[in-house]
Amino acid sequence: MNDIVVEIKNVTKKIGGKTIINDLSFSVNRGEIYGFLGPNGAGKTTTIRMMVGLMSMNSGEIIIEGHNVVTDRAKAMMHVGAIVENPELYKFMTGRQNLTHFARMSGREISQERIDEIVKLVELDQALDKKVKNYSLGMRQRLGIAQALLHHPSILILDEPTNGLDPAGIRELRDYLRRLSREENISILVSSHLLSEIELMCDRVLIIQNGQYVGERLLDGRQEGELAEEMQAIQLQVDQPEKVKQVLQDTPWSVASEEGNRLMLSLSHEDIPKLIAALVSQNVQLYEVRKVTPTLEDTFLQMTKGGRIL
Ligand SMILES: Nc1ncnc2c1ncn2[C@@H]1O[C@H](COP(=O)(O)OP(=O)(O)OP(=O)(O)O)[C@@H](O)[C@H]1O
Ligand SMILES: [Mg+2]
């Protein structure tokens, strides 16, 4: 099996002479939760509509599990589960009746066991025999996700799934998406205009603005592969900043910025203990040595050169 589930290659979309998506390329790996971040109007929904074959493109191509979304649509869509607008649910039927109905309509073999398994994963087992009209927004969304997963897709695509959910609902969504990606080995693409959400939910994030690629980043805690020689930002808290600068004069390192007793330096992982040893040998009182990981917001601002904050 290929490790790349979805490939977007140089996709451009124009509507009424206006370029909405401009030469956009990215790919989603198997099993990852991929964040698709951009301010309102950036082109997230448009891209997703093209990915699920609901909208044409002017140039470029989208490949899902090796199948071109335009020329081989049915095969490509076999591997996709998506909620683009509101999930289509029958309000006067129970959750179970909805799922059974969609399983039948899908034209594929979907067993009762599969329905039970999926319902457990999205924690809907308690409510399954209640009518959908009595479901909360969060429960309807879970049922929509369960429906999208019935046929074992390789990728689940959700456009702004946290819209309208309260903080507890957002947290639950995060938890069961994580469980899904682990237990079903499914890739999940989640769009959002909120940095904080993507940061908590995703393994990797793509940032777009004005329909264009801005950058991609692995998210915190998933950077263990960090190269020893890669430069890192370190913050020191000391008693005498001036003395530190004097000590550093005879070393390869220098202070990048300072604020009171806090100094920022950029150095490699391997140099950190050497720097500490040099400072301690000169009797500098070190209160704190901290690695500073740039937040997604820092990265975004840096990538967009201080452009608008989402
Ligand atoms: N059918 C259409 N006709 C004209 N312009 C459109 C159409 N659909 C989208 N657009 C424009 O394309 C741009 C991208 O829209 P899109 O809905 O993809 O953004 P988005 O990132 O999903 O935004 P949001 O966060 O508000 O959902 C916007 O400027 C929008 O006005
Ligand atoms: Mg949108």
Side-chain angles (χ1 to χ4, degrees):
M1 247 193 297
N2 200 332
D3 283 341
I4 292 178
V5 176
V6 178
E7 252 186 301
I8 311 285
K9 296 189 199 165
N10 307 101
V11 167
T12 293
K13 172 72 185 175
K14 297 178 183 171
I15 299 178
K18 188 179 161 210
T19 303
I20 308 285
I21 301 297
N22 192 356
D23 197 25
L24 182 65
S25 299
F26 63 89
S27 51
V28 181
N29 298 325
R30 194 169 305 282
E32 75 176 337
I33 305 187
Y34 192 76
F36 189 27
L37 180 70
N40 292 130
K44 303 181 293 294
T45 301
T46 305
T47 306
I48 288 175
R49 289 178 70 85
M50 291 190 286
M51 289 173 77
V52 299
L54 286 174
M55 194 185 248
S56 63
M57 60 196 89
N58 293 81
S59 58
E61 56 182 13
I62 299 178
I63 309 292
I64 299 181
E65 292 283 33
H67 305 290
N68 188 305
V69 164
V70 176
T71 58
D72 205 1
R73 180 163 189 267
K75 282 208 175 121
M77 288 311 121
M78 270 176 57
H79 303 282
V80 178
I83 304 184
V84 182
E85 270 103 32
N86 293 323
E88 277 174 54
L89 300 169
Y90 295 101
K91 291 200 177 74
F92 292 94
M93 299 196 327
T94 65
R96 188 189 304 280
Q97 287 167 336
N98 265 280
L99 290 179
T100 311
H101 174 73
F102 280 102
R104 217 178 294 133
M105 296 288 287
S106 74
R108 293 168 212 157
E109 277 301 311
I110 294 167
S111 63
Q112 191 57 47
E113 288 75 50
R114 176 61 181 162
I115 295 181
D116 293 342
E117 176 185 52
I118 277 300
V119 158
K120 265 211 190 74
L121 269 179
V122 299
E123 289 170 10
L124 210 64
D125 28 347
Q126 303 294 323
L128 201 59
D129 291 308
K130 289 187 183 140
K131 287 204 165 117
V132 169
K133 70 179 165 82
N134 298 321
Y135 278 20
S136 68
L137 184 71
M139 287 159 75
R140 284 178 199 198
Q141 187 183 52
R142 280 162 205 238
L143 186 60
I145 291 176
Q147 185 184 304
L149 292 173
L150 284 174
H151 61 291
H152 275 294
S154 315
I155 182 157
L156 175 66
I157 300 177
L158 303 173
D159 192 12
E160 308 241 10
T162 59
N163 268 359
L165 296 183
D166 62 17
I170 294 176
R171 198 201 170 111
E172 285 163 11
L173 173 75
R174 205 156 63 218
D175 290 347
Y176 70 76
L177 289 185
R178 282 235 158 269
R179 192 164 343 116
L180 273 177
S181 90
R182 219 176 29 239
E183 292 182 20
E184 293 260 303
N185 194 26
I186 190 175
S187 310
I188 305 178
L189 182 139
V190 186
S191 77
S192 177
H193 59 280
L194 295 171
L195 288 159
S196 51
E197 260 174 32
I198 291 282
E199 199 154 32
L200 287 169
M201 210 184 289
C202 302
D203 301 317
R204 207 151 63 97
V205 60
L206 162 74
I207 301 171
I208 66 163
Q209 194 179 27
N210 300 325
Q212 291 193 41
Y213 179 99
V214 173
E216 248 174 323
R217 204 189 138 193
L218 273 175
L219 292 174
D220 290 346
R222 287 150 221 288
Q223 317 239 46
E224 273 83 35
E226 251 168 14
L227 296 172
E229 60 268 23
E230 201 171 287
M231 298 303 272
Q232 290 176 0
I234 301 292
Q235 190 187 72
L236 304 176
Q237 193 186 346
V238 297
D239 61 339
Q240 297 165 284
E242 289 311 314
K243 188 165 172 189
V244 173
K245 285 191 251 175
Q246 261 174 28
V247 174
L248 293 183
Q249 273 177 1
D250 302 325
T251 70
W253 314 297
S254 60
V255 172
S257 68
E258 60 181 296
E259 214 184 302
N261 288 346
R262 292 176 201 275
L263 303 174
M264 291 289 292
L265 285 91
S266 174
L267 67 168
S268 73
H269 187 70
E270 287 175 339
D271 277 354
I272 298 171
K274 295 181 196 158
L275 170 78
I276 295 172
L279 294 176
V280 170
S281 74
Q282 298 297 314
N283 295 322
V284 171
Q285 305 281 314
L286 267 176
Y287 292 92
E288 190 181 52
V289 180
R290 193 160 65 91
K291 255 189 215 178
V292 183
T293 311
T295 63
L296 187 51
E297 185 163 345
D298 293 338
T299 310
F300 179 80
L301 290 174
Q302 206 183 353
M303 282 172 168
T304 57
K305 305 267 181 323
R308 70 188 259 216
I309 303 179
L310 304 183

